Amino acid sequence: AQSVTQPDIHITVSEGASLELRCNYSYGATPYLFWYVQSPGQGLQLLLKYFSGDTLVQGIKGFEAEFKRSQSSFNLRKPSVHWSDAAEYFCAVGPFGGATNKLIFGTGTLLAVQP
Amino acid sequence: EPEVTQTPSHQVTQMGQEVILRCVPISNHLYFYWYRQILGQKVEFLVSFYNNEISEKSEIFDDQFSVERPDGSNFTLKIRSTKLEDSAMYFCASSSRTGWSDTQYFGPGTRLTVL
């Protein structure tokens, strides 16, 4: 069955420091991968997505993610974190074609940014 | 930029009451979804809807739930007799296509509190 694991429930980084949020997936074929961000009181905003091609994808707000098939990973990175990046980040996989269009989400990583 | 909107932002109801959560998907989108997030848990798929019928539903989406597109713009989720465990954030999403190049855009959510 398809699944997504985000091993880090809560991460704290200092403003200006680099960030990497981990995401591992389980799926038998090449997945379609997404990172969404949820700011307090807000909905889910799409940061970036990977469908095919270049394994390093750029997103909004200076984020990027790298798809590594050998590690079944799609980690999110940012070279310099801003205080406004404090939010919850969700990795998702899907849809899977055919009859199912659902996204499967990880449990999320809550990012806190220290001044 | 077009966005998905949801009303109300917060709904409080008594157990056993019916609630209707409303969504206005992006105007040229054809596929519609409901997800929910119980506090502290992952975002879970509930149902997808296309061409005026349910295309997929999860185990959560039992007979107490129904969806409808009553006109050309709204998409609703009805819970007939709410239970305490229905308390959650409910997200509506829409996409212009399905399958391999689908990107689902999410609304800000409706927080449902069942007392």
Side-chain angles (χ1 to χ4, degrees):
Chain A
Q2 307 93 350
S3 66
V4 176
T5 301
Q6 292 181 249
D8 304 305
I9 296 172
H10 192 180
I11 283 182
T12 300
V13 300
S14 298
E15 192 168 14
S18 64
L19 172 70
E20 183 168 28
L21 302 183
R22 295 183 290 166
C23 172
N24 292 97
Y25 66 88
S26 173
Y27 180 53
T30 301
Y32 292 81
L33 295 157
F34 304 82
W35 276 99
Y36 286 87
V37 60
Q38 184 181 26
S39 300
Q42 303 295 312
L44 296 167
Q45 182 183 21
L46 180 68
L47 278 178
L48 48 75
K49 60 189 178 188
Y50 172 77
F51 284 158
S52 65
D54 193 346
T55 55
L56 184 64
V57 293
Q58 302 297 320
I60 62 170
K61 305 184 180 186
F63 285 92
E64 66 178 26
E66 186 171 13
F67 169 61
K68 291 186 177 179
R69 184 191 306 273
S70 61
Q71 298 176 18
S72 298
S73 69
F74 188 58
N75 293 348
L76 182 71
R77 302 194 294 245
K78 186 169 185 179
S80 178
V81 169
H82 188 261
W83 64 266
S84 61
D85 293 324
E88 189 153 24
Y89 292 80
F90 292 93
C91 182
V93 61
F96 303 95
T100 178
N101 304 317
K102 65 182 179 185
L103 294 179
I104 293 176
F105 285 83
T107 49
T109 298
L110 186 62
L111 173 66
V113 180
Q114 286 180 335
Chain B
E1 183 177 323
E3 58 183 21
V4 177
T5 59
Q6 290 184 243
T7 54
S9 57
H10 193 183
Q11 173 98 42
V12 181
T13 190
Q14 296 291 325
M15 190 169 55
Q17 294 297 303
E18 174 183 287
V19 294
I20 298 176
L21 310 183
R22 302 181 192 281
C23 168
V24 179
I26 294 173
S27 64
N28 63 344
H29 284 186
L30 301 175
Y31 300 86
F32 314 110
Y33 311 85
W34 284 100
Y35 291 79
R36 78 172 185 189
Q37 183 186 25
I38 295 172
L39 190 63
Q41 299 185 24
K42 63 173 68 178
V43 176
E44 303 172 287
F45 169 80
L46 290 178
V47 66
S48 60
F49 190 86
Y50 168 70
N51 199 26
N52 280 319
E53 60 182 30
I54 291 174
S55 51
E56 185 181 7
K57 60 183 181 179
S58 71
E59 292 175 355
I60 303 167
F61 195 88
D62 61 22
D63 292 343
Q64 293 299 313
F65 292 89
S66 62
V67 289
E68 190 179 33
R69 188 153 163 83
D71 53 42
S73 59
N74 291 283
F75 179 51
T76 62
L77 174 69
K78 181 193 289 186
I79 309 176
R80 264 180 271 280
S81 178
T82 50
K83 305 174 190 147
L84 295 177
E85 54 265 35
D86 294 327
S87 294
M89 179 75 90
Y90 288 81
F91 292 106
C92 174
S94 69
S95 64
S96 60
R97 60 175 67 87
T98 188
W100 301 115
S101 54
D102 178 45
T103 296
Q104 295 176 25
Y105 295 90
F106 285 76
T110 293
R111 178 163 296 286
L112 176 65
T113 302
V114 182
L115 303 176

